[in-house]
């Protein structure tokens, strides 16, 4: 009887070791199926003003890129993120889709320029990112096909402005963009200014972001939507208040998927915000205008409360909750 128990115990140990070995091998295979490289310049010893106070400055960040290459030499396409090397920690959002992209033979490129929380107020920002993208494509011989831009929160706005600026100027190197994915992004800056203005009047929530954002908008767009609405319309990919919405033309030929998480009850109870004080109207409006312009390749994904268990509700938490397997399948289906 004792001998039987010992043999049974040994068998259990062997079985557990076998399972552990399989897990290690599986993890190793997944790890070695990717090659991650990065190259960032030394941070410039300078800063930008973000407010009227003596200490209202933010230091510059590192410009550069992080690139995930699948081991397959037959790379099908490239997913491009315009992430901030500071706040976004170089590849905070893009790395969440590395495994899925690698399995479908997509490379993932995250690019940052030197300006923290960059709004892309000028073409200089887009040119800086474009130069890095061009260099990476040449250095690693990436295919200029099946290019998808993906943007979360502010980086979603960067994606839209980057595409607009690149289309306006006749650069020698142009990406063959197949689609755009935006997640909980600000697109209507006229509406956004009014949201921030309401926040500052009510003074019920943390006012750092409203104060910072309104200062940046009013400084770089020469006023407010009240006295310079055209400046805000031109800066927005879409605006509810803009009767022309001329920037829509830059995106009509692409497959566009938008992820929103209204979380209306959360914002009402936690922050006393209305159903208009989130980014959902921006992206629904964008898709509506695209369809009015004849784009039949749009799709809206709405995350319900049961889809996201996070206690925080913001663009990052929305992106965290997205089904990346389903997303990469959509990207793959849109590819040529």
């Amino acid at each position: 009887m004792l001998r039987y128990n010992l043999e049974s115990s040994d068998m259990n140990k062997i079985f557990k070791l076998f399972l552990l070995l399989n897990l290690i091998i599986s993890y190793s295979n997944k790890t070695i199926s990717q090659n991650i490289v990065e190259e960032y310049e030394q941070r410039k010893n300078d800063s930008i003003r973000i407010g009227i106070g003596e200490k209202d400055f933010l230091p510059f960040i590192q410009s550069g890129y992080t690139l995930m290459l699948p081991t397959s030499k037959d790379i099908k396409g490239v997913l491009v993120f315009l992430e901030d090397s500071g706040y976004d920690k170089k590849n905070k959002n893009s790395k969440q889709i590395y495994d899925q992209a690698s399995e479908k033979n997509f490379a993932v490129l995250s690019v940052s320029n030197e300006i923290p929380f960059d709004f892309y107020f000028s073409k200089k920002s887009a040119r800086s990112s474009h130069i890095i993208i061009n260099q990476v494509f040449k250095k690693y011989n990436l295919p200029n096909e099946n290019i998808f831009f993906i943007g979360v929160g502010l980086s979603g706005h960067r994606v839209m402005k980057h595409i607009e600026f690149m289309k306006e100027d006749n650069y020698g190197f142009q990406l063959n963009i197949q689609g755009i994915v935006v997640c909980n992004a600000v697109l209507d800056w006229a509406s956004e200014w009014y949201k921030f203005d309401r926040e500052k009047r009510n003074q019920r929530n943390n006012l750092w972001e409203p104060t910072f954002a309104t200062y940046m908008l009013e400084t770089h767009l020469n006023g407010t939507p009240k006295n310079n609405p055209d400046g805000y319309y031109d800066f927005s990919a879409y605006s509810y208040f803009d009767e022309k919405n001329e920037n829509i033309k830059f995106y009509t030929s692409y497959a566009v998927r938008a992820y929103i998480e209204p979380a209306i009850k959360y914002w009402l109870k936690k922050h006393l915000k209305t159903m208009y004080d989130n980014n959902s109207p921006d992206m629904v409006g964008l898709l509506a205008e695209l369809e009015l312009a004849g784009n039949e390749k749009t799709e809206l994904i709405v995350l319900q409360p049961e889809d996201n268990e996070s206690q925080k509700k913001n663009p990052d938490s929305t992106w965290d909750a997205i089904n990346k397997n389903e997303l990469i399948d959509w990207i793959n289906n849109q590819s040529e």
Side-chain angles (χ1 to χ4, degrees), residues 216-234:
M216 298 297 286
L217 290 169
E218 291 168 15
T219 300
H220 292 275
L221 300 182
N222 300 314
T224 74
K226 295 179 180 180
N227 56 35
N228 184 24
D230 289 341
Y232 283 75
Y233 300 160
D234 184 61

Side-chain angles (χ1 to χ4, degrees), residues 80-85 87-88 90-94 109-112 116-120 129 148-163 180-187 189 237 279 283 315-316 319:
V80 181
F81 290 73
L82 300 178
E83 295 188 270
D84 186 317
S85 70
Y87 174 77
D88 292 325
K90 298 179 180 178
N91 65 339
K92 177 177 65 177
N93 293 314
S94 58
L109 173 63
S110 181
V111 175
S112 174
F117 298 105
D118 196 353
F119 284 73
Y120 275 46
S129 297
F148 289 81
F149 273 93
I150 302 178
V152 180
L154 182 58
S155 70
H157 163 73
R158 291 188 200 121
V159 161
M160 308 305 277
K161 293 304 289 184
H162 185 94
I163 293 172
I180 304 169
V181 178
V182 284
C183 171
N184 204 345
V186 178
L187 303 177
W189 290 97
N279 300 330
M283 291 187 290
D316 287 339
W319 174 252

Side-chain angles (χ1 to χ4, degrees), residues 245-306:
N245 270 307
E246 294 182 346
N247 288 338
I248 289 295
K249 64 179 180 288
F250 296 114
Y251 321 111
T252 53
S253 62
Y254 308 133
V256 180
R257 175 179 268 206
Y259 287 89
I260 64 174
E261 185 181 12
I264 296 171
K265 189 173 182 179
Y266 167 87
W267 289 111
L268 174 62
K269 295 299 183 181
K270 294 285 186 179
H271 300 284
L272 296 178
K273 292 188 176 184
T274 74
M275 61 188 297
Y276 304 105
D277 292 316
N278 64 68
N279 300 330
S280 299
D282 298 28
M283 291 187 290
V284 174
L286 172 73
L287 298 187
E289 290 295 328
L290 285 172
E291 292 189 23
L292 285 170
N295 187 337
E296 298 180 352
K297 298 180 292 183
T298 67
E299 186 172 1
L300 176 68
I301 306 296
V302 183
L303 270 67
Q304 303 296 339
E306 61 270 19

Side-chain angles (χ1 to χ4, degrees), residues 173-235:
F173 174 72
Q174 291 282 345
L175 290 172
N176 292 317
I177 303 168
Q178 193 72 18
I180 304 169
V181 178
V182 284
C183 171
N184 204 345
V186 178
L187 303 177
D188 182 351
W189 290 97
S191 292
E192 194 70 8
W193 183 90
Y194 282 105
K195 295 173 193 175
F196 286 139
D197 188 56
R198 178 180 180 273
E199 285 284 284
K200 292 195 295 183
R201 291 198 313 271
N202 293 340
Q203 297 198 7
R204 295 297 296 267
N205 300 307
N206 189 310
L207 296 181
W208 187 90
E209 183 182 2
T211 303
F212 157 69
T214 52
Y215 172 84
M216 298 297 286
L217 290 169
E218 291 168 15
T219 300
H220 292 275
L221 300 182
N222 300 314
T224 74
K226 295 179 180 180
N227 56 35
N228 184 24
D230 289 341
Y232 283 75
Y233 300 160
D234 184 61
F235 186 59

